[in-house]
């Protein structure tokens, strides 16, 4: 019984990680509701996720709020940029959906691919923002370079979010509850496992 509750027990580590992700997800969702605060929330989330992946000593709530306050101001334009990209994509898809032609369908596929790549780039952007000081433009440009330069990892991140989206659709009525508990942090954690190696190389080169 003592071994079961041992902090090094794989099952206890797994359960502890789920609790951390749930707490972090609630914090991220709640602090993103005002929209203008979403950028700071996503930056803080990625900061905590990277520490969790690296198994650093992590106090989720304290670390989240520290990063959120630090990145709040610059997170505003970054969050609005993501929102603008999402709105433009949604409007374009809605407009093309009404045509029903092969050309429109092909264009919708192209827009979807571009949108998915942009989404992965934004993940890199928030991760970069959480660890390095730079301008919004500089952070976005570097994020784009990382997305292109680490294309297999980028494709993996896109696949994670696509699969997670399909799971939420499949869950249907239970989707809102799952989203509130793990909607952002579970796929985000898997993405952090992918981009952790990228950031490790950056930090090693910096030293």
């Amino acid at each position: 019984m003592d071994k079961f509750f041992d902090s090094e027990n794989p099952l206890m580590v797994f359960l502890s990680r789920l609790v951390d992700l749930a707490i972090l997800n609630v914090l991220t969702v709640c602090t993103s509701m005002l929209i203008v605060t979403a950028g700071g929330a996503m930056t803080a989330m990625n900061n905590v996720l990277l520490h969790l992946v690296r198994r650093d000593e992590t106090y989720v709530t304290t670390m989240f709020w520290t990063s959120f306050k630090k990145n709040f101001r610059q997170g505003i334009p970054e969050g609005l940029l993501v929102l603008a990209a999402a709105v433009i994509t949604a409007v374009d898809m809605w407009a093309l959906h009404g045509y029903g032609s092969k050309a429109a369908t092909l264009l919708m596929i192209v827009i979807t691919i571009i949108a998915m790549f942009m989404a992965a780039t934004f993940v890199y952007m928030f991760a970069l923002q959480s660890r390095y000081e730079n301008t919004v433009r500089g952070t976005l440009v570097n994020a784009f370079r990382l997305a292109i330069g680490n294309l297999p990892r980028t494709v993996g991140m896109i696949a994670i979010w696509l699969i997670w989206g399909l799971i939420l659709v499949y869950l249907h009525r239970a989707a809102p509850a799952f989203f509130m508990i793990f909607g952002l942090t579970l796929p985000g954690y898997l993405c952090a496992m992918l981009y952790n190696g990228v950031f490790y190389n950056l930090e090693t080169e910096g030293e």
Side-chain angles (χ1 to χ4, degrees):
M1 184 63 70
D2 291 337
K3 290 183 178 180
F4 178 80
F5 290 103
D6 185 356
S7 60
E8 297 300 321
N9 184 311
L11 178 60
M12 293 303 296
V13 172
F14 174 74
L15 293 176
S16 175
R17 184 65 73 247
L18 287 181
V19 172
D20 288 339
L21 292 178
I23 294 172
L24 180 59
N25 196 79
V26 172
L27 288 171
T28 304
V29 171
C30 290
T31 50
S32 297
M33 289 183 176
L34 295 178
I35 297 179
V36 294
T37 59
M42 293 301 293
T43 299
M45 182 191 80
N46 278 277
N47 179 53
V48 177
L49 288 176
L50 195 56
H51 281 282
L52 288 175
V53 166
R54 294 180 175 183
R55 297 185 179 182
D56 297 333
E57 186 174 1
T58 308
Y59 299 94
V60 173
T61 303
T62 302
M63 187 173 289
F64 177 88
W65 285 116
T66 299
S67 181
F68 179 78
K69 293 174 184 177
K70 178 183 177 182
N71 296 285
F72 173 77
R73 185 169 297 178
Q74 185 156 325
I76 293 176
E78 291 177 350
L80 293 177
L81 177 63
V82 175
L83 177 62
V87 170
I88 292 172
T89 301
V91 170
D92 286 345
M93 295 292 281
W94 178 80
L96 289 169
H97 182 71
Y99 285 98
S101 65
K102 291 183 179 180
T105 301
L106 179 60
L107 192 53
M108 288 174 68
I109 293 174
V110 172
I111 291 175
T112 301
I113 294 173
I114 293 173
M116 290 190 297
F117 181 80
M118 288 175 59
T121 301
F122 290 143
V123 172
Y124 282 114
M125 179 182 73
F126 288 125
L128 282 170
Q129 177 61 35
S130 72
R131 302 187 71 81
Y132 302 101
E133 292 187 7
N134 204 339
T135 62
V136 174
R137 181 179 181 278
T139 302
L140 182 59
V141 169
N142 289 336
F144 181 78
R145 289 174 177 170
L146 288 181
I148 291 291
N150 300 276
L151 199 55
R153 295 175 188 267
T154 301
V155 172
M157 289 160 58
I158 291 172
I160 288 170
W161 280 102
L162 280 177
I163 293 171
W164 181 238
L166 292 174
I167 291 174
L168 290 179
V169 171
Y170 177 78
L171 292 173
H172 192 47
R173 293 182 180 179
F178 270 83
F179 181 82
M180 191 64 194
I181 300 173
F182 296 116
L184 297 174
T185 53
L186 182 55
Y189 182 78
L190 296 176
C191 287
M193 292 177 69
L194 288 177
Y195 68 67
N196 176 44
V198 177
F199 279 75
Y200 178 79
N201 290 335
L202 289 175
E203 291 160 7
T204 303
E205 291 174 2
E207 293 177 359

